């Protein structure tokens, strides 16, 4: 059974990916520093799959700890690297913390993978690298634009570091997965999104407003050049996204990759406006959402949604779940989290 390391495996996308890896028969070891997650997520994963992953609390910025981990787990066949700080606004205020955490940890892991006889590496990247693309839908050939935040820059730099390393380390092959907007929760409601503090992202803010934790949702601007004036994004169900990671890993382990470094956009291919997301939530929950149109949010792009042809054709993967499925599961998860409080 192939052993796979999942860094940040107790996070939102990480935990859903661990479930899909275990469903596929992989042995999973998780590293997480618990800075933006909780060890209780392990129980959620185990409740779904019946198998508790190995977990090691570890700070990937600590070079000696990373070396010790790989000395102990020298049978790791692949790494899916989620661990990173990912709040756009925070990264503007704390650039050094973002570069040290996101780039430092990546370098230490790659240095360990160089020592293995072969290694498959999946990198958690983001459509943020495209900024406001000139053409929609966005293909993988769209130009990577100057990052609008240190967070986005760490994704761009991370991709470059991996690509250049794969060129000179013949035993290393990698895929960067550029996510659009991950939303929703596992149907079991054993795992889901656990934002700490006031949510920055749209969907957790919607569900926290509906459950009464927030007064009302502020819709950041309805004067954009879009059909209803609000921004458009490609909201992809986190379970579809998790499954794409398992497919990408399999591509590398089976040697089906065309080059040593590949990138794939992961989205539904469909854009939805902020108000369409609100309407989807109201439809599936039967609740009227309290929201107010306010001014634009600094740094928001107008519209982004994926061209999914490369992922569909080369990965043989496409999304199966809808925006309504995502909103339904996000709402069920929010209700479960609050009933536990
Ligand atoms: C979506 C839309 C907001 C909150 C970010 C990161 C990106 C990725 C996903 C990590 C926008 C609007 C939001 C609110 C609102 N993260 N909105 N009221 O900004 O597309 O992407 O998260 O990889 O890197 O940039 O997602 O959910 O913050 O916003 O009106 O309270 O919802 O203006 O149009 P975003 P988001």
């Amino acid at each position: 059974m192939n052993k796979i390391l999942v860094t940040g495996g107790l996070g939102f996308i990480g935990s859903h990916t661990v479930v899909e890896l275990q469903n596929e028969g992989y042995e999973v070891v998780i590293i997480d520093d618990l800075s933006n997650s909780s060890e209780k997520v392990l129980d959620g994963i185990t409740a779904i799959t019946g198998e508790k992953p190995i977990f090691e609390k570890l700070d990937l910025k600590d070079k000696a700890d990373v070396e010790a981990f790989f000395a102990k787990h020298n049978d790791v066949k692949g790494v899916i690297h989620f661990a990173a700080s990912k709040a756009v606004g925070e990264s503007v205020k704390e650039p050094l913390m973002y570069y040290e955490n996101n780039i430092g940890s990546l370098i230490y892991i790659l240095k360990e993978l160089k020592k293995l006889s072969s290694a498959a590496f999946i990198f958690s990247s983001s459509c943020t690298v495209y900024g406001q693309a000139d053409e929609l839908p966005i293909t993988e050939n769209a130009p990577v634009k100057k990052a609008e935040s240190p967070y986005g820059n760490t994704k761009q730099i991370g991709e470059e570091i991996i690509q250049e390393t794969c060129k000179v380390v013949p035993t290393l092959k990698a895929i960067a997965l550029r996510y659009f907007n991950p939303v929703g929760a596992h149907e079991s409601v054993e795992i889901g999104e656990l934002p700490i503090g006031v949510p920055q992202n749209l969907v957790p803010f919607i569900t926290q407003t509906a459950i009464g934790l927030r007064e009302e949702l502020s819709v950041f601007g309805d004067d954009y050049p879009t059909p209803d004036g609000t921004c458009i994004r490609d909201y992809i169900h986190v379970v579809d996204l998790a499954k794409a990671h398992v497919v990408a890993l399999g591509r590398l382990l089976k040697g089906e990759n065309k080059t040593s470094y590949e990138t794939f956009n992961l989205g539904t291919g469909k854009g939805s406006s902020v108000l369409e997301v609100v309407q989807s939530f109201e439809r599936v929950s039967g609740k009227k959402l309290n929201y107010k149109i306010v001014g634009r949010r600094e740094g928001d792009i107008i519209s982004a949604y994926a061209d999914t042809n490369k992922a569909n054709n080369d990965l043989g993967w496409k999304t199966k779940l809808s925006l309504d499925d995502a909103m339904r599961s996000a709402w069920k998860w929010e209700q479960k989290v609050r009933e536990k409080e």
Side-chain angles (χ1 to χ4, degrees), residues 6-203:
V6 180
T7 72
L10 295 183
F12 175 39
I13 308 168
S15 55
H16 286 81
T17 302
V18 168
V19 164
E20 299 308 327
L21 285 168
Q22 290 187 321
N23 289 345
E24 198 70 15
Y26 289 102
E27 180 189 4
V28 177
V29 52
I30 292 171
I31 286 178
D32 204 299
D33 66 1
L34 301 180
S35 62
N36 190 20
S37 57
S38 145
E39 203 166 338
K40 287 205 297 292
V41 173
L42 269 178
D43 301 332
I45 293 169
T46 310
I48 297 168
T49 64
E51 192 185 334
K52 187 167 187 173
I54 305 164
F55 167 60
E56 299 209 11
K57 182 176 183 301
L58 193 148
D59 178 354
L60 291 169
K61 296 194 298 294
D62 186 318
K63 188 167 182 289
D65 281 356
V66 175
E67 288 170 346
F69 174 90
F70 278 93
K72 179 177 164 189
H73 295 278
N74 57 12
D75 53 346
V76 162
K77 292 286 176 279
V79 177
I80 303 184
H81 184 46
F82 292 103
S85 305
K86 62 155 192 132
V88 172
E90 182 189 50
S91 78
V92 174
K93 299 190 191 91
E94 301 278 354
L96 286 180
M97 188 256 276
Y98 269 69
Y99 289 111
E100 183 190 34
N101 190 35
N102 295 4
I103 305 298
S105 58
L106 172 65
I107 290 171
Y108 293 153
I109 290 171
L110 290 176
K111 290 180 87 161
E112 292 309 307
L113 294 186
K114 265 182 73 173
K115 300 173 188 170
L116 303 179
S117 55
S118 86
F121 188 70
I122 306 290
F123 181 61
S124 169
S125 191
S126 169
C127 63
T128 296
V129 302
Y130 300 116
Q132 176 57 69
D134 302 325
E135 283 177 43
L136 293 170
I138 304 173
T139 71
E140 288 80 356
N141 302 322
V144 169
K145 291 192 173 175
K146 175 152 178 32
E148 318 235 337
S149 69
Y151 161 74
N153 207 18
T154 65
K155 291 302 179 185
Q156 291 180 5
I157 296 169
E159 287 195 8
E160 286 168 18
I161 290 171
I162 297 161
Q163 183 168 23
E164 284 156 19
T165 306
C166 287
K167 276 185 197 151
V168 296
V169 179
T171 54
L172 178 65
K173 40 200 173 181
I175 289 176
L177 297 175
R178 294 171 175 170
Y179 313 151
F180 281 69
N181 288 55
V183 290
H186 193 270
E187 62 186 358
S188 65
V189 273
E190 293 292 350
I191 53 176
E193 196 165 5
L194 283 169
I196 293 174
V198 179
Q200 297 307 304
N201 293 132
L202 176 64
V203 171

Side-chain angles (χ1 to χ4, degrees), residues 86 88 126 128 151 181 200-202 205 217-220 231 233 235 274 297 300:
K86 62 155 192 132
V88 172
S126 169
T128 296
Y151 161 74
N181 288 55
Q200 297 307 304
N201 293 132
L202 176 64
F205 207 106
L217 167 74
S218 296
V219 173
F220 297 139
C231 295
R233 296 289 185 276
Y235 296 94
V274 176
R297 177 172 69 175
D300 271 339

